[in-house]
Amino acid sequence: MKIIVCVKQVPDTTEIKVDPVKGTLMRDGVPSILNPDDANALEAALKIKDEYPNTEVDVVSMGPQQASYVLRECLAMGADRAFLLSSMAFGGADTCSTSTTLAYGVNKIGEYDFIFAGRQAIDGDTAQVGPQLAQRLGLPIATYVQSIREIRENSVIVERQLEDGYEVLEVNRPCLLTAVKEMNEPRYMTIIGIEQAYKQEITVWDENDLDLDQNDCGLKASPTKVFRSFTPPPKGKGEMLSGTVTEMAHSLVAKLTEKHIL
């Protein structure tokens, strides 16, 4: 069995700040991490590899050269091969352009039974790249997968997370599945795995290797552009009401009337 996992290096959002003048993210000095949902996607692939020993797991990422650190983390967790799509031509890509580049990368890697991806990246929260990649590859897709129930010869049975429960779907293979954090607990890297990961070569491809026109990737092919990033203003201090239910209800109505809400 062959599985491809799409991963992304993202800034640690607990450390990130926004430039109040430029309205852009301040990435300097901010540590980068493996996107959390992508770690769940990788763990799902590795669990299949544990159950089916002949399975090969490849990881692919689009990003700058430093994204190789995240790919080596994936190798140390148990992935077999790593591919980095990296070029100045890929810079400034939105989700549409990113999915195009990833589709070319996936096609160059070759045949596969599954493609796994995280539900969304914490630096954008769009949850669009996975579905767009499936559309470009012509694949059936199940998003927000919280569990894989059964792998069949030509399909897979999954649970898809909903706001108030889940639904059970049968998806034909090959297919693309996006994982949520509730799907599993990602494994830790091992000492031996880390040692082997840094001995292993990461394959790096640019637009020429992918036979991808520069006008079809990066900023040039991005129909959307980020105008400004900002932190929403803090909410005002809340007020607790006390007394009986009737007294609190009267007090609440009076306050809402005072503010002309009622």
Side-chain angles (χ1 to χ4, degrees):
M1 196 179 301
K2 175 72 171 292
I3 303 175
I4 298 176
V5 184
C6 299
V7 301
K8 184 180 182 182
Q9 183 187 53
V10 295
D12 188 342
T13 53
T14 61
E15 303 286 341
I16 204 165
K17 297 179 181 179
V18 177
D19 188 317
V21 178
K22 297 180 180 179
T24 56
L25 298 180
M26 299 170 62
R27 298 177 182 266
D28 292 343
V30 178
S32 294
I33 61 173
L34 172 62
N35 182 58
D37 284 350
D38 296 346
N40 296 112
L42 176 59
E43 177 62 24
L46 294 176
K47 282 189 172 182
I48 294 175
K49 181 181 176 181
D50 292 340
E51 186 175 351
Y52 300 90
N54 292 328
T55 298
E56 181 181 85
V57 176
D58 293 341
V59 288
V60 59
S61 181
M62 189 192 86
Q65 288 293 326
Q66 58 262 35
S68 61
Y69 291 107
V70 161
L71 290 174
R72 293 198 187 279
E73 181 178 340
C74 295
L75 291 171
M77 290 171 67
D80 297 291
R81 298 190 301 172
F83 299 85
L84 177 61
L85 313 181
S86 185
S87 170
M88 292 294 291
F90 302 156
D94 68 354
T95 60
C96 181
S97 182
T98 297
S99 63
T100 298
T101 303
L102 285 173
Y104 273 76
V106 167
N107 282 330
K108 188 172 178 65
I109 291 172
E111 295 183 358
Y112 48 83
D113 296 280
F114 295 102
I115 297 178
F116 281 97
R119 170 193 55 173
Q120 61 190 40
I122 59 174
D123 60 347
D125 287 342
T126 63
Q128 293 175 354
V129 172
Q132 288 175 349
L133 177 59
Q135 187 273 331
R136 297 189 187 287
L137 294 172
L139 295 176
I141 180 174
T143 56
Y144 296 84
V145 174
Q146 67 176 19
S147 175
I148 296 178
R149 286 193 172 188
E150 181 185 355
I151 296 177
R152 297 179 176 177
E153 184 177 357
N154 297 309
S155 65
V156 60
I157 308 295
V158 302
E159 293 180 6
R160 182 177 184 269
Q161 188 181 81
L162 303 175
E163 290 184 0
D164 56 352
Y166 65 88
E167 60 181 351
V168 179
L169 302 175
E170 181 175 6
V171 188
N172 291 332
R173 294 168 43 189
C175 61
L176 191 150
L177 308 176
T178 70
V180 296
K181 64 180 180 180
E182 291 81 6
M183 190 175 190
N184 52 49
E185 185 68 31
R187 66 192 65 188
Y188 291 103
M189 297 178 286
T190 64
I191 298 298
I192 295 177
I194 294 172
E195 181 181 1
Q196 292 176 342
Y198 277 87
K199 292 179 180 179
Q200 198 165 341
E201 182 180 353
I202 292 177
T203 302
V204 181
W205 289 329
D206 61 16
E207 68 277 14
N208 297 317
D209 297 308
L210 300 178
D211 196 22
L212 177 59
D213 192 300
Q214 290 193 18
N215 293 317
D216 295 330
C217 59
L219 187 61
K220 292 181 180 180
S222 299
T224 59
K225 297 176 177 61
V226 177
F227 175 69
R228 181 172 65 96
S229 299
F230 64 94
T231 302
K235 296 182 179 180
K237 183 179 179 181
E239 180 180 351
M240 297 292 293
L241 301 177
S242 60
T244 66
V245 174
T246 302
E247 290 172 342
M248 289 189 291
H250 283 302
S251 178
L252 177 60
V253 170
K255 291 179 182 296
L256 295 176
T257 302
E258 180 184 347
K259 295 180 180 294
H260 304 288
I261 296 175
L262 293 179

